[in-house]
Amino acid sequence: LTSALSTFRNIQFGIRFETQWWGTSMVNRCRFEGVLNDGIFMAQGNLRVERCFFLNNGFRGVDILETRGLVAQDNNFNCNDDVAAQASGDNIYRHIQAAGFALNAIVDINHNFFGGNFSTPDKAEHLRGIELVGGPTMGGGTNIRVDWNEFSFSMTHMPTLNSSHEILLTGEFPSNSSTILEFNDFFLKQPSGVLGYHRLNGITLENGNKNQVQIYSNTFGSDATEFLSFPADNWGIRLQGSIGGGNEVTGNLFTDNPNTGFPADFYAGIYALDFTNSVFCENTLREASYLMYFHGMSMGTQYFSNFHTGGADGFRVEDGFIGEQGTEGGEHNGNEWHDKWLNIIPAHHAYLLPEFQAPNSRIFVHTAQSVRNTQGLGYTLFSKYHPADIEPDQMDEWFKPDLTGFPGEGGCIDHIVISTETDKAIGSGTINLMGLSQAHSWTAKRYLYAKLRQNPGLQGDHTAFGPFLTDESNTSVGQLYSVEQKIAEGLKVSANLDSQSSQIRAGEIATINQLELADSTLNSATTVTALNSALGSKNLALSDLRTLDSLYNELNVDYQANLMLKLQEALTLNNSVTTATDYEQYEKIVNDIAIRQVLFQNGELTVPQVAALGIIAAECPKYGGHGIYRARGLLRSCNEGNWNDDNAGCYPIAEPSLPQVLDNGYGERSTAKIWSDQIIVYPNPATSSFFVRLPARQSGTITITDAIGKVWKTVPFTEGEEVRFVDLPNAPTGIYLCAVTSTNGNLQIIKVILSNK
């Protein structure tokens, strides 16, 4: 079927494909506006959508339950306040959603615009630009590419707690799949200084193991104009809950915002929570309260040649560790730290807690530590590789000078996997895990066990590695790894099937091109002869497509038979796993449900299974392990869930941090002031006007006097105001005193230098 030049408006569905046959459909140059359900729905098949316009569709613009081919290019997707409210539950709108991937599925989403602009608080909206839902049996050889798209989400009102994602990958993405997200442009906008209501994310990977996901060369921007505000609740790249591998976050750019001296655009540039085995390389991070924030257990992190500018905390590790960065006496990782302004400096270039976990995230540097000039601007000693503001740094327990080493030169593509001192400590059982949970210790062992099994050449690096593998092979660590490998065997595509599938795919592409050519001729034919010729070509191409689809079905039957055999073996292995703790049992239960869902239940979950997954999903991953994330991933199809680990009993995220301001731009820097109670004048020195940040929840008066006590201006302020603008157009150059008097009796005085000549 091909459809073109049609408009679908104010109906339940635009185009709905219900067939269970692997058909091929093309939709181009159509308009879907105010469709109450899905603009285009496909149960199963191949879909090509080009040059279409989607506006305010009530659930999804494009919705595919299972695909082996999706192409979406040159389309415009948009939502605004006029989108219809949904009848029950949260108002969740998706531009493109694909939830199932078959053997050698290919997804190509390129050169589209995804927009959202919500400005009235009448209803709470959650928006997804692209949502791809993986599963433990995602089709072998699945290849996903999302590139050259533009995303622009604006949330200028403050609804109840909700979240939006411009790209969301949720669920399991197995090791024989590959996903590339590159050359996309992300713009995120919402009010600065208001956190905890709407979390707006650029790229999110969550709730299930991710493998072979490459996030390359994307651009992230915002346009905050606040001078003295907490950041907006924007998150550039958010990675959460994976013990997969082969993931890379490389060459991404957070653009400079010259409109503010403070990191008001993003709460976090890149945030990784319990996300292991990933490479972070040559990212340019700036304009965020936390430029790079690691939370929980993220072992196997390779973090090198990243560029940190400004921010409040440039690099943060909390409630876990990431492993050593660099090799003592050899190549170091060559990350750089720089200040954005001379008189507005980070609170910390790098911050880690609890501090006794610092050796497990050691960073080797080939220079001495930078030293700030406490009597003025700048440094008495500066090294971009060894920043000044580090906590902890009393005994080089975190950043360790190693003058025999040398800075690395990047190598984002071919970085070598090595065993580290952190790995050796895990293997020998000598690692210090003080302050962490038992689930953290178990996760560390699972990470090392998988690393040594997948890289046999590393097993001889330490005498403890051999006994470690032998001992853990009889525990849940090794047994659950065997279950994972058995499922991976079932998903692996044989060379013969892969070759035949590739030939079918090439034939389909050629045939689709013939169809498009025939359609073009039909649109422009002026004679009966040309019309009949084009119709004949189209019918022949459609017949060829049906033949190719039939051939694919035969291949898929063979593939599914092998998968079912391996899943049965995996189920038997899983039943034999010995568990003694909740976090072990959670993994075993999730495995059992995921396997049975495919083997016996045609992909559906039973009511008792949903209940069991719901109980697990509600737990805290800090204590319940990665089974929590995987349970949440399995529940996406029947329960959105609003799982929030940001609480004191789990993984509370840090309060927003702001930079330090050098008093008057010349004196000693402020170190221990609480920002919300700190009066700040900016810019300082100024010309004839400046801004004053006011005390929280206070009213009072601003009084400007000169050196001899003459009052030049008195400005009242009221409770609820955050910043006041003060203009002194006739004041001569000189030093003035800005006195801020609050109604509670507090008085703060700041020197202001005016230079308006």
Side-chain angles (χ1 to χ4, degrees), residues 35-47:
V35 176
L36 298 179
N37 206 299
D38 297 337
I40 302 174
F41 169 85
M42 174 172 279
Q44 180 175 306
N46 297 306
L47 179 63

Side-chain angles (χ1 to χ4, degrees), residues 484-592:
E484 294 171 3
Q485 294 308 297
K486 188 60 66 174
I487 295 174
E489 289 178 23
L491 294 173
K492 186 176 181 180
V493 183
S494 68
N496 183 44
L497 280 182
D498 190 58
S499 175
Q500 294 182 63
S501 177
S502 296
Q503 292 177 18
I504 292 173
R505 172 62 63 185
E508 286 176 336
I509 293 173
T511 305
I512 289 172
N513 289 336
Q514 293 175 18
L515 271 175
E516 291 181 330
L517 179 61
D519 278 339
S520 177
T521 304
L522 285 171
N523 288 336
S524 59
T526 58
T527 67
V528 174
T529 301
L531 183 65
N532 289 335
S533 176
L535 285 172
S537 297
K538 181 171 183 175
N539 289 332
L540 180 61
L542 289 172
S543 177
D544 290 343
L545 272 181
R546 284 191 288 271
T547 300
L548 291 167
D549 287 331
S550 297
L551 292 173
Y552 172 81
N553 283 337
E554 294 176 9
L555 294 182
N556 195 50
V557 168
D558 294 339
Y559 171 76
Q560 291 293 327
N562 179 67
L563 173 61
M564 295 302 170
L565 176 64
K566 295 298 181 182
L567 288 180
Q568 186 65 64
E569 295 175 4
L571 184 61
T572 301
L573 276 175
N574 193 67
N575 290 337
S576 67
V577 173
T578 303
T579 62
T581 65
D582 285 345
Y583 46 80
E584 295 170 301
Q585 185 68 8
Y586 291 158
E587 283 279 354
K588 183 176 180 178
I589 291 172
V590 171
N591 278 342
D592 182 83

